[in-house]
């Protein structure tokens, strides 16, 4: 009997815009950066916020998502809040930033900076 394994799907879907922005960030990353990391620190009116920062080392519990332009790490403590989410990069005349469509979010603050699960 042969056991076959299949590739595990990524916990977070990245749009082509998000992948392009990660590539742009990695093109100007500080020395020693191995990727960018998404986490959900406790902050804001609703409790949790999205944070993207450069990372210099991978932690064992982090989820690793390889993209054509660089690696996105998702904080191991945040992954349960983000499973099934879509991460996009949006720019318009007034703002630019990562935007998240998170099916786990039960509410958000009025300014859109934080969410609750």
């Amino acid at each position: 009997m042969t056991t076959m394994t299949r590739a595990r799907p990524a916990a977070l879907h990245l749009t082509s815009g998000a992948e392009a922005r990660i590539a742009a960030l990695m093109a100007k990353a500080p020395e020693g950066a191995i990727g960018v990391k998404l986490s959900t620190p406790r902050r804001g009116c609703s409790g949790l916020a999205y944070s993207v920062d450069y990372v210099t080392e991978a932690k064992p519990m982090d989820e690793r998502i390889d993209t054509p332009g660089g690696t996105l790490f998702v904080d191991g403590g945040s992954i349960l809040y983000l499973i099934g989410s879509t991460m996009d990069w949006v720019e318009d005349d007034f703002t630019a930033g990562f935007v998240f469509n998170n099916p786990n979010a039960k509410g958000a603050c009025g300014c859109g900076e934080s969410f609750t699960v």
Side-chain angles (χ1 to χ4, degrees):
M1 175 187 250
T2 303
T3 303
M4 294 180 55
T5 59
R6 61 183 173 90
R8 186 179 71 178
L12 180 74
H13 173 72
L14 301 173
T15 66
S16 58
E19 288 181 350
R21 182 58 183 171
I22 290 170
L25 288 170
M26 290 310 298
K28 61 179 184 178
E31 187 175 331
I34 62 169
V36 292
K37 185 173 186 173
L38 171 62
S39 61
T40 56
R42 297 206 174 276
R43 154 173 100 214
C45 323
S46 293
L48 297 170
Y50 300 105
S51 179
V52 179
D53 301 291
Y54 289 110
V55 64
T56 57
E57 67 177 298
K59 302 242 163 96
M61 297 303 290
D62 289 348
E63 179 83 13
R64 179 187 178 119
I65 301 172
D66 293 311
T67 73
T71 303
L72 172 71
F73 294 91
V74 182
D75 177 65
S78 300
I79 197 70
L80 290 176
Y81 305 130
L82 299 168
I83 291 175
S85 295
T86 299
M87 180 178 178
D88 193 10
W89 176 259
V90 176
E91 289 185 42
D92 63 27
D93 291 339
F94 302 104
T95 62
F98 286 108
V99 175
F100 297 87
N101 180 0
N102 186 344
N104 306 299
K106 301 298 181 217
C109 66
C111 64
E113 291 296 317
S114 63
F115 69 100
T116 185
V117 289

